[in-house]
Amino acid sequence: AQTVTQSQPEMSVQEAETVTLSCTYDTSESDYYLFWYKQPPSRQMILVIRQEAYKQQNATENRFSVNFQKAAKSFSLKISDSQLGDAAMYFCALGFGPGANSKLTFGKGITLSVRP
Amino acid sequence: DTEVTQTPKHLVMGMTNKKSLKCEQHMGHRAMYWYKQKAKKPPELMFVYSYEKLSINESVPSRFSPECPNSSLLNLHLHALQPEDSALYLCASSQIPGLAGRNLVFGPGTRLTVL
């Protein structure tokens, strides 16, 4: 079974500052993928960043980067130069495949607020 | 076209009504999904269609009836719903069924309110 844990329900960051969102996971699969999804109040679930477990290099997408610690099963998201538009709920997710049971397992999510 | 569209955006219905939610994608994806999401909670998988056939039903009550008329279209028929069914209903698709864990594209959702 796969589990994803996001232990912080809420976080707040000052505009232009950096914030790190934590996520830990557990899986017995050797080939898996990790994701951070953003869901603003307008509700569209948007993929922020994706990490393939077999890649040692941490993924980056503009102001978003991850710290992937495979041995520790940790997958944190760093948002640099935070903007008001970053305010949203963020979900960490774990997936694997190909396979008949391929699906995403989500964490409980964290609500990020950005202070102007 | 790299998106999943859903209609309507909002739906209010009574417990005796029959309504349908619609989802469409033109990315050539052969797997489509329905998720239910309560406020401040992660999405919960309801149904999976693989090559237009229902492959996964996560023990969803029969008042929810999915339909996949073709590879681009997914419907969710609603009948005799309960107020606790009020939620955001998200549609998603992936290139092939076995890649749900690699590349899932979500639609914007339908906000359903059951009175």
Side-chain angles (χ1 to χ4, degrees):
Chain A
Q2 279 66 234
T3 61
V4 177
T5 302
Q6 294 179 255
S7 55
Q8 306 154 301
E10 295 179 349
M11 285 194 75
S12 180
V13 64
Q14 190 74 36
E15 195 176 4
E17 297 294 310
T18 295
V19 64
T20 298
L21 310 183
S22 302
C23 173
T24 59
Y25 64 93
D26 194 18
T27 180
S28 57
E29 299 287 333
S30 57
D31 179 20
Y32 57 89
Y33 299 77
L34 292 159
F35 308 85
W36 278 99
Y37 282 93
K38 170 186 177 182
Q39 191 174 36
S42 64
R43 75 190 180 216
Q44 175 95 46
M45 187 81 78
I46 303 165
L47 177 64
V48 175
I49 200 163
R50 162 187 145 134
Q51 174 81 42
E52 291 87 344
Y54 64 85
K55 289 187 177 179
Q56 292 188 339
Q57 187 172 5
N58 289 327
T60 61
E61 286 288 341
N62 301 314
R63 298 183 293 108
F64 299 87
S65 61
V66 298
N67 183 3
F68 175 44
Q69 301 289 327
K70 191 171 184 178
K73 294 184 177 178
S74 170
F75 183 62
S76 60
L77 175 69
K78 185 171 84 171
I79 306 174
S80 304
D81 185 26
S82 296
Q83 301 175 359
L84 295 177
D86 295 333
M89 194 150 189
Y90 287 81
F91 292 97
C92 179
L94 165 69
F96 63 93
N101 295 321
S102 175
K103 64 177 183 180
L104 282 184
T105 300
F106 289 91
K108 289 185 177 181
I110 178 171
T111 300
L112 177 68
S113 59
V114 181
R115 304 185 302 274
Chain B
D1 191 352
T2 58
E3 63 175 6
V4 174
T5 59
Q6 290 186 244
T7 54
K9 289 186 178 180
H10 301 273
L11 179 62
V12 179
M13 61 185 291
M15 289 189 284
T16 58
N17 292 157
K18 285 185 180 181
K19 296 286 184 183
S20 297
L21 309 184
K22 180 180 171 182
C23 171
E24 206 160 357
Q25 57 86 16
H26 296 286
M27 295 177 282
H29 288 182
R30 301 308 299 276
M32 297 185 77
Y33 310 78
W34 280 115
Y35 283 85
K36 174 183 178 180
Q37 187 181 24
K38 290 283 202 177
K40 301 286 189 182
K41 300 290 185 184
E44 299 173 10
L45 184 64
M46 300 174 71
F47 302 104
V48 180
Y49 269 84
S50 304
Y51 300 102
E52 296 92 68
K53 289 187 180 354
L54 183 64
S55 60
I56 295 177
N57 177 342
E58 294 283 307
S59 302
V60 180
S62 60
R63 56 185 184 268
F64 295 91
S65 175
E67 179 196 21
C68 190
N70 58 58
S71 60
S72 300
L73 188 56
L74 184 67
N75 298 319
L76 186 63
H77 302 298
L78 314 172
H79 173 55
L81 294 193
Q82 303 297 310
E84 59 264 28
D85 296 322
S86 298
L88 181 67
Y89 288 84
L90 294 167
C91 176
S93 69
S94 66
Q95 195 172 3
I96 60 176
L99 291 184
R102 289 194 183 187
N103 188 8
L104 205 60
V105 180
F106 284 92
T110 293
R111 174 73 63 193
L112 174 68
T113 302
V114 182
L115 301 177

